Amino acid sequence: MPLLFILSSAPNSGKGTVCDRLLKDTQLVHLSTGDLLRDEIRRGSETGAAVQRLMAAGRLVGEDIVNELIVKKLQSPEVRARGAVLDGFPRTESQALWLAEYCINSKFWQVDAFVVIEVPDDVLVERAAGRRLDPETNNIYHIKYKPAPPAIASRLVIRDDDKPDRQRLRISTYRENAAVVEAAFADRVVRVNGNQPMAAVYDEFCRVVAAKVWGPGSTRGPSTVPPKMKQFLQRSKL
Ligand code: AMP
């Protein structure tokens, strides 16, 4: 059975960075519903046109469409061989219940870890408010964490999405759904403190995930441990 992780966190919690490192360190396939939906739009399909309208309005796309995209991936030989990290899915209670049931019925998939990266709301808002976009290169900077070269400072802009009122709305939308989504995988939940330097976040991520998946009482064998996590298993002497 391949590994299946779910990453859940509010916008700007650093999930993208954790995900990048995890994908470098392991064989897991990244399944982001946001990316899959954007692919659908690029393909210009009928579904794509409907998706584009919903995404542009900042609304959630219909569950039938999203679940179908995920099923296709979970059934593909590549994902079945390599395992996956779900990013941006499940986002609602009914998506969560659907996935839990799909896993049971498939007799192939099981959710190994539901990882919540925790960051206080005020820190999330501060991270977004300090972020600047260079409209010429699309590079992202941060006034505190990643200052731009002085020569381009005057052309930087704040994205609408990053303005404090928008950011608070995005956070509250996430929080409204997060508790019920998490409840569907209650026995697989692990929490990581996302309010620390990125390297420490990733170290903690590996430690808690490894303990959950391969710790005492686990049925998973050592051959399913991705390379980076092997170090953590050795260090934590699980
Ligand atoms: P993301 O890239 O994860 O921020 O997603 C971008 C947009 O895609 C969201 O604002 C939604 O419109 C749509 N979307 C992504 N994932 C889902 C999902 N699980 N359910 C419904 N809509 C989604």
Side-chain angles (χ1 to χ4, degrees), residues 6-180:
I6 299 175
L7 292 191
S8 166
S9 63
N12 288 309
S13 56
K15 182 178 65 176
T17 312
V18 167
C19 213
D20 287 349
R21 296 210 42 191
L22 182 66
L23 296 173
K24 268 195 206 116
D25 283 347
T26 67
Q27 79 289 2
L28 298 171
V29 177
H30 184 215
L31 295 185
S32 146
T33 37
D35 287 351
L36 293 172
L37 290 166
R38 282 183 283 272
D39 278 353
E40 211 52 43
I41 294 173
R42 265 194 296 277
R43 262 205 297 279
S45 65
E46 220 172 279
T47 308
V51 165
Q52 189 165 27
R53 280 192 294 276
L54 289 165
M55 279 174 86
R59 294 178 47 200
L60 289 183
V61 171
E63 180 164 315
D64 42 344
I65 295 177
V66 181
N67 295 359
E68 180 65 25
L69 290 171
I70 289 290
V71 168
K72 266 196 206 144
K73 288 288 177 186
L74 292 180
Q75 288 175 342
S76 78
E78 187 195 8
V79 177
R80 287 170 76 91
R82 290 170 52 189
V85 186
L86 295 180
D87 177 359
F89 183 90
R91 239 180 172 96
T92 63
E93 183 177 27
S94 61
Q95 288 177 11
L97 296 175
W98 173 86
L99 178 65
E101 197 178 324
Y102 175 80
C103 288
I104 292 169
N105 292 338
S106 76
K107 297 196 172 63
F108 183 78
W109 289 103
Q110 68 176 42
V111 173
D112 290 285
F114 185 103
V115 189
V116 183
I117 302 174
E118 295 187 311
V119 180
D121 286 7
D122 288 350
V123 176
L124 294 172
V125 172
E126 188 215 291
R127 284 184 187 174
R131 195 164 31 210
R132 298 291 181 272
L133 170 73
D134 176 358
E136 285 187 20
T137 61
N138 274 335
N139 285 337
I140 299 281
Y141 298 94
H142 192 282
I143 51 176
K144 191 161 150 194
Y145 306 115
K146 192 185 170 193
I152 64 164
S154 62
R155 69 178 191 224
L156 302 182
V157 297
I158 305 179
R159 277 191 330 201
D160 278 349
D161 254 16
D162 286 336
K163 295 189 172 146
D165 53 339
R166 281 288 175 94
Q167 183 62 13
R168 288 202 186 274
L169 180 66
R170 292 175 70 203
I171 295 168
S172 66
T173 307
Y174 165 78
R175 299 239 183 267
E176 272 163 29
N177 285 310
V180 284

Side-chain angles (χ1 to χ4, degrees), residues 164-226:
D165 53 339
R166 281 288 175 94
Q167 183 62 13
R168 288 202 186 274
L169 180 66
R170 292 175 70 203
I171 295 168
S172 66
T173 307
Y174 165 78
R175 299 239 183 267
E176 272 163 29
N177 285 310
V180 284
V181 169
E182 195 181 305
F185 303 97
D187 62 332
R188 307 315 303 160
V189 171
V190 290
R191 297 182 193 285
V192 177
N193 173 13
N195 191 19
Q196 51 182 336
M198 220 39 240
V201 174
Y202 186 63
D203 282 358
E204 186 177 324
F205 172 93
C206 290
R207 241 184 349 259
V208 298
V209 169
K212 186 77 183 171
V213 182
W214 297 282
S218 159
T219 51
R220 286 224 176 258
S223 63
T224 63
V225 184

